[in-house]
Amino acid sequence: MLPAPPCAIVIFGASGDLVRRKLIPAIYELARQGLLNERAYVLGFARTPLDDDHFRAGCHDSLLAHARTRPIDEQVWRKLAARMHYASADYSSSEDYARVSALLNALDERYDTGGNRLYYLATPPAQFEPIIQHLGEKLRLRDALHPPAPEDGAFRRIILEKPFGRDLSSAHELNRVLHRHFREEQIFRIDHYLGKETVQNLMVMRFANSIFEPIWNYKYIDHVQITVAEDIGVGARGGYYDSAGALRDIVQNHMLQLMALVAMEPPVSLDAISVRDEKVKVYRSVRPIRAGAVGAFAVRGQYGPGECRGATTPGYLREKDVNPASRTETFAALKLFVDNWRWSGTPFYLRTGKFLPQKLTEIVVRFRSPPLTLFQKQCEAPVYPNDLLVRVQPDEGISLRLNGKVPGGQLNIRSVAMDFRYSSVFNAESPDSYERLIHDAMMGDQTLFIRADEAEAAWAVVDPIEKGWSEDKAPPHTYEPCTWGPKAAMDLIEADARRWLHGDNQPEPIIACSL
Ligand code: BG6
């Protein structure tokens, strides 16, 4: 990667958890690798009163706890810390914006950034609109609406954390507010899953190899499964989570992105426009679920009291900041169809949940069983279909399950795996997704960010399900922590004579055949 140009990184919501756990460690890591320009600086912006020294001390603590490479390099940190500043201000006060604006101008000059600015909105979403308005009005961003004059080629970009709206109409409204002040080329909507190495590798796997494309369609693929499982509960985020739920928190963004990368047509080029055009087409091809038919395509669940991997929970309804009568789902399983020529009739099963038995993000592409063969006739059971497993996390890698003969005089068949693991092949740890995404935003590359129409098209997939659930009188199914969700989720897939698959399933039994 090339070092990024000089710029101001202005973080709104700088005292929050995301900033401590992800953004500061990512910025430090970029600095450590020489990818952060020496003329770049950070201005943290939040309501909490702090001075620069306390802000820096807090950032140092975050690095001690969350830096990807530890021990931290104190020399790199000292150089970075000297360029980290903090302004405490009220997001809704015009006077405060005027003060921050003056501070930014002075810092731009001190560090000679050329006026480049990256505004990072890491605040709760309710604050997005007032901040965008103020940025537009008080920080004189109106000029950004017009192509920059050659003598003032400075960039002004804005990164927005998810959630981007809570349904189609709020996302549309947020886009409208954004577009009043920023051109789409200046807007970087984050989905941190797109920064994950394995997710990026999906495109390489599909389009840089010729063996997949001919069979990547309904003729050879029986179905696709996508799992995003977490082994923790909502923790301290009950307030946010209770107004979101699994569908908004994970499915609308991370899971639909994964699905789009599996289902999309080859883009005409790898530029941001072409790639995102193809993803939007996938969303637009998803068969809408009628509100009255939601039960046949979607299952929701809520974890009850119990224990998982040493963590105990009183159950979702008794978590901190959660409404005790809440119907918010902590688990969702869906069956979707992409109604286009390639995927005609091929189900995509998606499931996600909190307090499942393990942290696992995985895509399984199950191929159709071989046609009736010798083996089918002479074996005690049908041979196994092939599976292509893309493990996004942990143990990033790709594995292909094949049938193999067990050595010996008998004809016994076993399912075996050809494995490619990132850690052993490349012998290097993958960068954190925020490193990649912040660097891309500084470079102006939007490929791994969500475009306005893409966000809206993804909401259009999810909205009818939300609506169906809100009209449904039955509450979500309860499931025990450390299980794979409610029984209804098994029924959803088993009704189609299929079952949920995942990397840690028990090995399939050996099939004995007669010679
Ligand atoms: C976030 C969700 O977007 O993704 C969280 O808001 C979730 O609820 C997190 O825990 C999972 O991310 P990752 O990278 O750990 O899979």
Side-chain angles (χ1 to χ4, degrees):
M1 291 202 285
L2 294 170
C7 75
I9 306 175
V10 187
I11 306 177
F12 293 80
S15 52
D17 188 53
L18 176 82
V19 177
R20 271 198 306 275
R21 280 186 309 109
K22 295 290 182 187
L23 304 196
I24 297 299
I27 292 170
Y28 159 79
E29 195 58 41
L30 291 173
R32 194 184 66 82
Q33 294 169 42
L35 298 173
L36 185 75
N37 197 291
E38 304 231 325
R39 280 153 51 210
Y41 72 92
V42 174
L43 178 71
F45 186 179
R47 278 181 293 209
T48 318
L50 278 183
D51 59 20
D52 284 358
D53 286 342
H54 282 93
F55 177 57
R56 289 171 185 152
C59 292
H60 189 254
D61 288 347
S62 337
L63 293 184
L64 293 177
H66 305 291
R68 179 163 67 80
T69 46
R70 279 176 278 175
I72 57 175
D73 183 330
E74 292 295 337
Q75 209 181 336
V76 171
W77 163 247
R78 272 194 301 277
K79 274 177 81 179
L80 175 63
R83 292 179 280 142
M84 296 183 76
H85 303 271
Y86 183 85
S88 104
D90 184 341
Y91 300 131
S92 58
S93 148
S94 302
E95 295 76 53
D96 283 8
Y97 276 91
R99 186 166 51 78
V100 173
S101 177
L103 176 60
L104 277 170
N105 289 339
L107 291 171
D108 284 353
E109 209 156 300
R110 181 191 314 172
Y111 294 107
D112 189 19
T113 58
N116 291 334
R117 289 194 190 155
L118 190 61
Y119 299 108
Y120 198 123
L121 272 53
T123 62
Q127 277 142 9
F128 285 178
E129 288 198 21
I131 295 175
I132 295 163
Q133 304 271 17
H134 276 285
L135 278 179
E137 286 152 20
K138 300 288 176 292
L139 296 178
R140 291 177 210 281
L141 270 175
R142 284 181 189 285
D143 61 343
L145 282 173
H146 309 289
E151 65 278 11
D152 175 24
F155 68 72
R156 277 88 192 264
R157 301 186 184 131
I158 182 165
I159 303 188
L160 291 103
E161 262 301 330
K162 63 174 273 268
F164 191 82
R166 53 173 289 107
D167 53 19
L168 175 56
S169 77
S170 55
H172 186 70
E173 175 56 19
L174 188 50
N175 276 331
R176 210 178 53 77
V177 174
L178 272 167
H179 288 149
R180 220 183 290 145
H181 303 287
F182 294 88
R183 281 175 288 117
E184 184 60 27
E185 299 74 53
Q186 297 175 289
I187 305 170
F188 292 70
R189 298 173 193 80
I190 282 229
D191 181 327
H192 77 278
Y193 264 54
L194 292 182
K196 291 184 192 276
E197 280 289 333
T198 350
V199 175
Q200 293 166 53
N201 192 34
L202 262 170
M203 292 246 292
V204 177
M205 188 198 80
R206 282 196 56 198
F207 305 129
N209 295 299
S210 55
I211 58 169
F212 295 116
E213 184 53 22
I215 53 170
W216 206 257
N217 56 52
Y218 73 96
K219 288 186 204 150
Y220 293 93
I221 292 177
D222 178 70
H223 72 278
V224 176
Q225 296 187 13
I226 304 178
T227 298
V228 174
E230 293 184 90
D231 56 2
I232 51 167
V234 294
R237 297 167 75 227
Y240 151 73
Y241 195 88
D242 205 34
S243 67
L247 200 58
R248 291 192 177 95
D249 187 45
I250 301 279
V251 177
Q252 187 271 346
N253 35 77
H254 309 328
M255 295 194 87
L256 289 186
Q257 284 293 329
L258 295 179
M259 186 175 119
L261 289 166
V262 172
M264 71 197 250
E265 294 302 312
V268 288
S269 95
L270 288 175
D271 62 57
I273 295 178
S274 313
V275 171
R276 299 192 296 181
D277 280 351
E278 294 306 332
K279 287 198 283 175
V280 172
K281 284 190 212 158
V282 173
Y283 298 144
R284 295 206 175 128
S285 313
V286 174
R287 187 185 303 169
I289 298 181
R290 280 182 299 106
V294 166
F297 294 94
V299 169
R300 58 179 169 161
Q302 238 179 22
Y303 62 81
E307 209 207 310
C308 192
R309 295 173 172 259
T312 52
T313 169
Y316 178 69
L317 296 179
R318 302 178 74 185
E319 295 279 17
K320 189 168 167 288
D321 300 328
V322 168
N323 172 359
S326 172
R327 291 161 67 108
T328 299
E329 75 288 354
T330 60
F331 175 96
L334 310 180
K335 175 161 85 167
L336 299 177
F337 289 93
V338 179
D339 278 340
N340 61 16
W341 195 304
R342 185 188 287 270
W343 295 111
S344 165
T346 312
F348 284 73
Y349 299 97
L350 275 51
R351 74 179 160 164
T352 182
K354 300 275 185 200
F355 267 135
L356 301 188
Q358 61 187 121
K359 177 153 178 83
L360 173 78
T361 299
E362 191 173 72
I363 300 167
V364 183
V365 178
R366 169 150 282 197
F367 290 89
R368 290 188 186 280
S369 299
L372 259 192
T373 62
L374 213 49
F375 295 108
Q376 242 76 357
K377 286 188 219 139
Q378 289 179 219
C379 301
E380 61 182 13
V383 294
Y384 300 110
N386 301 123
D387 292 326
L388 181 71
L389 258 93
V390 179
R391 177 68 80 88
V392 175
Q393 61 187 18
D395 293 337
E396 292 93 334
I398 295 175
S399 145
L400 182 61
R401 283 208 200 115
L402 307 164
N403 287 301
K405 180 183 175 301
V406 180
Q410 312 290 320
L411 179 55
N412 290 338
I413 295 180
R414 223 187 82 182
S415 170
V416 293
M418 272 169 61
D419 267 333
F420 147 57
R421 288 187 187 242
Y422 268 71
S423 52
S424 49
V425 173
F426 294 115
N427 201 14
E429 208 192 318
S430 301
D432 185 77
S433 33
Y434 280 91
E435 293 167 32
R436 171 66 196 255
L437 295 174
I438 294 174
H439 184 262
D440 279 5
M442 290 191 288
M443 300 297 283
D445 182 348
Q446 292 186 301
T447 316
L448 301 179
F449 293 84
I450 314 291
R451 201 168 62 189
D453 55 343
E454 198 181 347
E456 292 186 22
W459 277 118
V461 172
V462 157
D463 268 12
I465 306 171
E466 287 289 0
K467 183 159 182 290
W469 282 349
S470 70
E471 289 167 1
D472 188 354
K473 294 201 175 46
H477 300 273
T478 305
Y479 61 96
E480 249 180 73
C482 253
T483 65
W484 286 99
K487 180 174 173 301
M490 314 304 152
D491 298 343
L492 178 79
I493 191 165
E494 285 168 14
D496 298 340
R498 299 182 175 108
R499 66 191 169 86
W500 293 108
L501 305 159
H502 57 88
D504 288 356
N505 272 354
Q506 293 301 312
E508 306 279 10
I510 289 176
I511 300 171
C513 305
S514 55
L515 282 170

